[in-house]
Amino acid sequence: MKKLIIGEDIVKSFETAGKSQIVLDHVSVQIEEGEFVSVMGPSGSGKSTLMYALSGMDEIQGGKVIFDGKELSNLKEEALADLRRMEMGFVFQQPHLLKNLNVLDNIILPAMHDMKGQKALCIKRAKHLMKTCGISELEDREITQVSGGQLQRAGICRALIGEPKIIFGDEPTGALNSTAAQEIMKLFLKINTQGTTILLVTHDAKIAAQSERVLFMKDGKIVNALKLNKYKGKGLEERTKKVMDQMQGLGV
Ligand SMILES: Nc1ncnc2c1ncn2[C@@H]1O[C@H](COP(=O)(O)OP(=O)(O)OP(=O)(O)O)[C@@H](O)[C@H]1O
Ligand SMILES: [Mg+2]
């Protein structure tokens, strides 16, 4: 399998009040093309920071990140921004859609930059995605008039409109009830089956248990990894328990 992301010996530190804190402590990680990987770990363990490092959203102080064969630190700011916009999609806990645009216009917005003059094609793509995500009927709806789960689906459509190679999700189900969270997870699984690589930070063992591999972080390090594909035949309950056992092992 081709590696989509290779992170080698990543060091990330923050300066606060004159003191330096190491938040990613020589982290190495590889994500294969088409893989679905979750990241779990206590609050403050560095999960979001790892995601920002791997997507080039944040500079790192040591090590390197190679995304689809390109070393991020060798790219100029503009090339990096292009790479992020065209090859990566981001989904956060809150989708941050624009209130003055309806759902459809929010979804096509990122693609309009790269597909100038092709609005009809953007709309066609958006409508297809909205169908996949089960929100076809919301096209003209104001952002303030949809539920949290629907809003997150719109956020996922927006992340997918540029046909990225990977979706980075930082607790995308964190603000949802368990039924809505499960629906969103189903959607991620469908998107993954269609070929998009997914890296998902989550606090929910049941969500993580549905991915192929779970990385466990503690104090800025990946301290453990659990391959779940080998349990594919087994029930979700059993896999969830395996994930929870690992979390307990971290003292969480
Ligand atoms: N911009 C920043 N400036 C200074 N310190 C930061 C900054 N961003 C994160 N940190 C620190 O880095 C550490 C890791 O933060 P990070 O947000 O990656 O944790 P996390 O695992 O995503 O936690 P959570 O589960 O709460 O989202 C924390 O100690 C945090 O306080
Ligand atoms: Mg976080």
Side-chain angles (χ1 to χ4, degrees):
M1 269 300 233
K2 192 182 155 203
K3 308 282 179 213
L4 181 60
I5 304 180
I6 302 171
E8 265 177 32
D9 216 22
I10 301 169
V11 176
K12 171 80 195 171
S13 56
F14 287 111
E15 293 279 342
T16 33
K19 272 176 80 181
S20 174
Q21 181 200 0
I22 292 187
V23 175
L24 294 177
D25 190 1
H26 300 275
V27 173
S28 294
V29 60
Q30 301 196 341
I31 311 290
E32 288 178 6
E33 217 167 61
E35 208 181 4
F36 194 150
V37 180
S38 298
V39 183
M40 294 195 83
S43 184
S45 56
K47 305 180 296 296
S48 297
T49 307
L50 178 63
M51 201 163 263
Y52 299 149
L54 295 180
S55 58
M57 278 195 349
D58 242 355
E59 271 184 24
I60 53 178
Q61 280 74 47
K64 60 182 172 185
V65 176
I66 299 166
F67 183 92
D68 202 21
K70 301 172 198 75
E71 189 180 337
L72 297 186
S73 63
N74 290 342
L75 299 178
K76 297 220 164 67
E77 188 47 49
E78 200 179 323
L80 187 59
D82 285 348
L83 185 75
R84 269 198 306 265
R85 203 179 54 253
M86 296 199 262
E87 311 285 10
M88 307 176 190
F90 297 89
V91 184
F92 301 99
Q93 191 164 338
Q94 305 294 344
H96 300 299
L97 301 178
L98 300 176
K99 288 205 171 61
N100 56 334
L101 296 179
N102 67 20
V103 172
L104 181 69
D105 287 339
N106 262 291
I107 293 171
I108 64 170
L109 193 63
M112 293 297 286
H113 184 278
D114 296 308
M115 296 168 67
K116 284 189 191 84
Q118 299 185 69
K119 192 169 180 188
L121 183 59
C122 289
I123 290 177
K124 192 171 164 214
R125 225 190 246 180
K127 287 188 175 179
H128 178 71
L129 285 170
M130 290 176 82
K131 194 168 173 208
T132 305
C133 294
I135 52 167
S136 288
E137 74 287 3
L138 300 181
E139 266 179 39
D140 307 320
R141 199 76 73 81
E142 296 297 318
I143 288 304
T144 47
Q145 295 169 340
V146 301
S147 74
Q150 289 170 332
L151 205 58
Q152 195 53 290
R153 282 165 199 266
I156 293 168
C157 290
R158 186 185 52 180
L160 285 168
I161 191 85
E163 301 182 328
K165 289 206 166 72
I166 184 166
I167 292 282
F168 291 97
D170 195 353
E171 297 186 51
T173 63
L176 305 175
N177 67 37
S178 61
T179 312
Q182 193 48 50
E183 291 293 320
I184 293 293
M185 186 57 191
K186 257 198 220 156
L187 191 53
F188 277 125
L189 288 165
K190 184 159 143 191
I191 293 162
N192 179 243
T193 308
Q194 291 169 355
T196 310
T197 308
I198 298 185
L199 184 63
L200 195 74
V201 171
T202 180
H203 283 282
D204 185 336
K206 191 173 163 192
I207 293 288
Q210 294 170 72
S211 61
E212 294 174 73
R213 185 156 63 104
V214 190
L215 306 174
F216 295 90
M217 290 194 76
K218 191 177 181 181
D219 300 333
K221 293 188 176 77
I222 295 176
V223 291
N224 217 339
L226 181 64
K227 268 247 179 216
L228 286 164
N229 358 20
K230 58 183 176 187
Y231 302 113
K232 235 173 194 150
K234 303 208 170 144
L236 180 55
E237 229 170 272
E238 193 163 338
R239 280 177 286 139
T240 305
K241 191 178 171 310
K242 293 215 179 287
V243 174
M244 285 169 88
D245 287 347
Q246 293 283 339
M247 282 298 280
Q248 259 162 14
L250 297 183
V252 182

